[in-house]
């Protein structure tokens, strides 16, 4: 029996306002649905609240990190791996770091705007390589939505015809910085593919947004909306339809279920008053982030769903992955005594290296892409630290001051970002004893890298060292040993956690079907990183956006058909 | 329509594009400019060039907002906190100041660490929420080590020693790779202290000028790096474009 609405029932309740929640709110309100959105943090719009163009010296802290802004006080994103009052635990022998963005727009305020499509092989890894997993959908299923996301949000790049790095509907990319040309030239010598990067920063004005003015500070949020963030690009237009009700400081606790097993709405805590509140909705969309959505489902226990909602397969929390990462930087003598010029560009690299090798000749499956950084960034807190690593070896006085001038901006660094294969030892579950300050049971993480990832990261290290050597440079740090994991990041450190609410073709071994609809609950959907079956050697946001739009269109069709 | 105009490729002829500081850009869209040539006030002037900015894709509303925004930041920059010691003791303070100026002295191009109020900034950050108790102990202990070392060698505190005596100690701890193992504690302290002074000095307005940093501006006509910078690295945009084209064909 369906629970009938009495007061202010919404068509859809969306939990979370980042890429997945913002996209769902945009698409569903455009389709005419009456939507309520719950966000655990306060309202925040880069167009109003950004610290863009604040010189480091205008702050007493010169841009140093804060507890709530681990990437520097000017960084847009209020959040971190440690949030007061909202703990999580790691099982003995495991260590996992869980980043949460607690603000309108979530992590879209934080990310590097690297906007890469997953390729055909990324959706069919098992078929293509004989290991890992296949998604229940193909690149062709998602491609029309990638196109729509490109057009709505805007992304610059270049069409290169690389098979597993699909082209897009790109705006013109900015020219590389001079040191990036050196990286390209060196990559050519070493046979490494190096192409213009693909970032969701607009170089031509679209939809009332200004084009980039090249201040290089995308991470602070853009006052003219030249880069993508969910609040300015998706939520603001959704609010303009008059169909969206936004409730901030709302910490979702549980999806409520009727006697018929269908979702009836979401219970949440008003963080300002501590009051327990509830919104009723005909459809519930979770977009709270992969692990937070899993946590909400596991906490949504009822007599009908004693293991938590959508968890009859026992798969909620399973299939947790993060991107592998390691960094190497070096001093490049050719860059000594720079020619003063404005090198800011966009807030990110202008070139990058997509995966270029054949794994059949390597001791690890799957690849990585390489991100490039260096040069003359805005001098702020920590500038010119570690001068003893340069040829002068340290010192003091006039010779040191001359060295600082000589060596400023002479670093080039490479960051590898690679695909991890899901494994049975990496997952999250409810901690049996701990609750957060709102009384909500917290997550406990289990985490393990396998030799797949260690060998891949070792390859990154060797490649980056080769690149720096080929530029005539000197690497700052010795090659990390096997015991040091070859310098691999900790689980969760790259902030690309995916899975935990995975889609699949069978209700026995997945939580969602190929439309991101819960097998166990037809009016429950997930539009964040949770549905991902696998990682790829690409950042996940563009795929989160495309899948969220695709899922929203499915919800609209189902509502029209009267199915949900 | 604004939306249809490519910005990056520079539709406006180069010789009509004023840049901050009133200089005319070269082929790369920019010429190297001295740090003094690009000020925030000049940025305001650039933003005032409404017809040009509109051609580049900026609406009048955007320019007004940007202008007001930069003006507000200029005000904020002048609002420096008054110096009241938060961490260092009255006894430590003269040593901190002296050591800072041994690291970054005044010269023809810029002032010293104390001119840029580097010690005040270090003092402030020592009590920041992100500074650990371990770091505070290391700072206090390092200053004490310096005095202990000076007393052991010369029978007086570091500030009371002669310039030559002080340099004798600094010479032993300022080059980690050359330092004797028994100087380990001094080397560790000095390396951290030098980083703190560099961070404080070069994140100041004085430090920006010294490095000839010319970024942090609204710069809608940015179009890559100028030729002298490209030539220095032996790279060119022609070579870049040709390489991409060759790979696309193959």
């Amino acid at each position: 029996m369906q629970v009938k609405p009495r007061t202010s029932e919404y068509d859809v309740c969306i939990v979370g306002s980042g890429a997945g929640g913002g996209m769902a709110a945009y698409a569903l309100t455009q389709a005419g649905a009456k939507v309520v959105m719950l966000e655990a943090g306060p309202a925040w719009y880069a167009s109003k609240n950004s610290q863009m163009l604040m010189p480091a010296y205008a702050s007493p802290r010169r841009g140093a990190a804060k507890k709530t802004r681990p990437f520097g006080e000017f960084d847009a994103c209020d959040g971190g791996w440690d949030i007061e009052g909202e703990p999580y635990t790691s099982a003995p022998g495991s260590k996992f770091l869980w980043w949460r963005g607690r603000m309108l727009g979530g992590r879209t305020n934080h990310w590097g705007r690297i906007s890469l499509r997953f390729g055909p092989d990324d959706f069919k890894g098992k078929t293509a390589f004989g290991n890992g997993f296949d998604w229940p959908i193909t690149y062709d299923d998602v491609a029309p939505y990638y196109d729509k996301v490109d057009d709505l949000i805007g992304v610059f790049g270049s069409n290169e015809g690389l098979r597993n790095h699909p082209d897009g509907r790109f705006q013109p990319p900015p020219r590389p910085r001079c040191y990036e040309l050196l990286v390209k030239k060196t990559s050519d010598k070493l046979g490494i593919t190096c192409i213009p990067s693909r970032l969701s920063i607009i170089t031509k004005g679209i939809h009332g947004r200004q084009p980039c003015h090249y201040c290089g500070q995308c991470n602070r949020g853009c006052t003219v909306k030249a880069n993508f963030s969910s609040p300015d690009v998706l939520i603001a237009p959704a609010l303009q339809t008059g169909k969206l009700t936004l409730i901030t400081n709302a910490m979702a606790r549980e999806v409520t279920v009727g006697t018929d097993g269908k979702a009836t709405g979401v219970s949440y805590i008003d963080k300002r008053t501590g009051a327990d509140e509830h919104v009723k909705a005909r459809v519930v969309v979770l977009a709270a982030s992969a692990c937070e959505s899993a946590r909400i489902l596991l906490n949504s226990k009822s007599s009908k769903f004693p293991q938590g909602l959508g968890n009859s397969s026992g798969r909620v929390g399973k299939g947790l992955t993060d991107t592998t990462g390691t960094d190497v930087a070096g001093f490049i003598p050719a860059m000594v005594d720079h020619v003063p010029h404005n090198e800011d560009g966009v807030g990110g690299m202008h070139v990058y290296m997509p995966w270029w090798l054949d794994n059949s000749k390597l001791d690890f499956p799957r690849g990585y892409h390489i991100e490039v950084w260096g040069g003359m960034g805005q001098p702020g807190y920590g500038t010119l630290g570690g001068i003893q690593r340069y040829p002068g070896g340290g010192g003091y006085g006039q010779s040191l001051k001359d060295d600082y001038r000589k060596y400023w901006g002479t670093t080039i660094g490479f960051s590898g970002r690679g695909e991890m294969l899901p494994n049975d030892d990496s997952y999250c579950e409810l901690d049996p004893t701990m609750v957060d300050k709102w009384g909500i049971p917290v997550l406990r993480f289990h985490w393990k890298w396998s030799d797949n990832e260690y060998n891949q990261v070792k390859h990154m290290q060797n490649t980056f060292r080769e690149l720096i050597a080929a530029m005539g440079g000197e690497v700052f740090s010795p090659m990390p040993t096997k015991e040091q994991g070859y310098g691999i990041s900790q689980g969760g450190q790259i902030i690309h956690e995916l899975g935990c609410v995975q889609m699949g073709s069978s209700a026995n071994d997945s939580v969602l079907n190929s439309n991101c609809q819960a097998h166990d609950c037809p009016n429950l959907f997930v539009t964040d990183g949770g549905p991902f079956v696998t990682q790829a050697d690409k950042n996940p946001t563009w795929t989160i956006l495309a899948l969220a739009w695709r899922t929203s269109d499915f919800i609209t069709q189902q509502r029209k058909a009267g199915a949900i | 329509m604004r939306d249809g105009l490519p910005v990056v490729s520079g539709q406006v002829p180069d010789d009509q594009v004023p840049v901050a500081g009133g200089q005319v850009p070269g082929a790369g869209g920019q010429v190297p400019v001295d740090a003094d040539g690009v000020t925030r006030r000049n940025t305001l002037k650039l933003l005032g060039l409404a017809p040009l900015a509109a051609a580049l894709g900026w609406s009048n509303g955007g320019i007004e907002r940007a202008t007001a925004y930069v003006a507000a930041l200029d005000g904020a920059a002048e609002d420096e906190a008054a110096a009241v010691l938060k961490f260092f003791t009255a006894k430590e303070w003269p040593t901190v100041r002296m050591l800072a100026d041994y690291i970054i002295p005044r010269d023809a191009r810029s002032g010293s660490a104390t001119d840029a109020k580097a010690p005040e900034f270090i003092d402030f950050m020592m009590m920041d929420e992100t500074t650990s108790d371990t770091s505070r102990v290391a700072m206090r202990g390092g200053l004490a080590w310096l005095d202990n070392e000076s007393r052991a060698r010369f029978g007086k505190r570091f500030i009371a020693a002669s310039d030559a005596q002080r340099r004798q100690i600094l010479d032993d701890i300022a080059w980690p790779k050359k330092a004797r193992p028994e100087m380990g504690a001094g080397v560790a302290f000095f390396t951290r202290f030098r980083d703190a002074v560099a961070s404080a000095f070069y994140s100041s307005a004085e430090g920006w000028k010294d490095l000839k940093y010319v970024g942090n501006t609204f710069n809608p006509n940015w179009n890559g790096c100028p030729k002298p910078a490209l030539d220095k690295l032996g790279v060119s945009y022609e070579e870049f474009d040709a390489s991409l084209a060759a790979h696309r064909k193959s």
Side-chain angles (χ1 to χ4, degrees), chain B residues 70-125:
Chain B
V70 174
L73 290 182
D74 266 6
E78 286 152 18
D79 187 22
E80 289 275 343
V84 179
L85 290 185
K86 292 172 185 296
F87 172 76
F88 293 115
T89 63
K91 185 182 167 195
E92 290 164 340
W93 189 236
T95 312
V96 168
R97 291 174 59 83
M98 178 184 278
L99 200 54
D101 278 356
Y102 268 110
I103 290 168
I104 299 186
R106 191 177 305 145
D107 68 2
R109 184 147 133 192
S110 66
S112 68
T114 53
D115 289 339
K117 296 194 189 312
E120 284 82 353
F121 176 67
I122 295 169
D123 178 68
F124 174 80
M125 285 308 293

Side-chain angles (χ1 to χ4, degrees), chain A residues 88-90 429-435 441-444:
Chain A
Y88 54 91
T89 62
S90 291
E429 61 186 349
L430 290 183
D431 186 282
T433 58
M434 191 184 282
V435 295
V442 307
L443 287 179
R444 177 166 71 179

Side-chain angles (χ1 to χ4, degrees), chain A residues 149 154 167 208 310 349 368 395 470 476 541:
Chain A
V149 172
D167 293 330
M349 65 210 177
Y368 56 88
F476 286 133
T541 303

Side-chain angles (χ1 to χ4, degrees), chain A residues 11 19 29 93 95 108 137 143 165 227 244 253 275 370-371 379 453 511 545 561:
Chain A
D11 293 326
T29 54
K95 176 77 178 165
T108 66
I137 53 175
H165 308 289
N227 64 22
L244 176 64
R253 182 167 56 80
I370 309 174
E371 301 175 7
E453 289 79 39
V511 183
L545 288 162

Side-chain angles (χ1 to χ4, degrees), chain B residues 120-132:
Chain B
E120 284 82 353
F121 176 67
I122 295 169
D123 178 68
F124 174 80
M125 285 308 293
M126 286 310 296
M127 295 311 291
D128 190 71
E129 62 174 27
T130 57
T131 302
S132 66

Side-chain angles (χ1 to χ4, degrees), chain A residues 117 138-151 169 546 549-550 553:
Chain A
R117 297 178 178 211
T138 66
Y139 174 73
D140 290 339
D141 292 323
V142 189
Y145 288 96
Y146 280 133
D147 286 349
K148 283 159 67 112
V149 172
D150 288 357
D151 287 343
R169 297 165 66 85
W549 203 335
R550 181 173 176 270
D553 279 2

Side-chain angles (χ1 to χ4, degrees), chain A residues 52 176 188 217 336 344 405, chain B residues 8 69 210 216 232 234 237 243:
Chain A
M52 192 180 79
D188 282 355
Q217 297 170 22
V336 160
D344 286 349
R405 291 163 179 157
Chain B
V8 172
Y69 185 78
D210 183 85
N216 193 48
K232 186 172 186 317
Y237 289 112
S243 169

Side-chain angles (χ1 to χ4, degrees), chain A residues 25-151:
Chain A
Y26 178 88
L28 290 165
T29 54
Q30 293 287 324
K34 191 179 156 201
V35 175
V36 62
M37 172 182 272
L38 304 179
E39 163 52 47
W44 201 92
Y45 293 88
S47 54
K48 300 186 187 115
N49 305 110
S50 163
Q51 303 289 310
M52 192 180 79
L53 290 182
M54 172 83 81
Y57 51 79
S59 160
R61 306 176 68 258
R62 312 269 177 91
K66 290 163 69 171
K67 281 182 183 165
T68 55
R69 285 191 157 79
F71 286 78
E73 64 173 326
F74 300 137
D75 194 72
C77 194
D78 183 347
W81 289 288
D82 293 301
I83 294 180
E84 196 183 350
E86 298 184 26
Y88 54 91
T89 62
S90 291
S94 282
K95 176 77 178 165
F96 186 81
L97 298 168
W98 185 25
W99 178 286
R100 277 92 23 105
R102 287 284 185 254
M103 64 194 305
L104 191 68
R107 278 180 261 184
T108 66
N109 294 299
H110 158 81
W111 66 312
R113 275 85 188 177
I114 299 172
S115 303
L116 305 173
R117 297 178 178 211
F118 279 28
D121 291 348
D122 299 323
F123 290 100
K124 296 290 170 190
K126 174 96 174 161
T127 304
F129 305 109
N131 48 29
F133 299 90
D134 284 349
W135 293 50
I137 53 175
T138 66
Y139 174 73
D140 290 339
D141 292 323
V142 189
Y145 288 96
Y146 280 133
D147 286 349
K148 283 159 67 112
V149 172
D150 288 357
D151 287 343

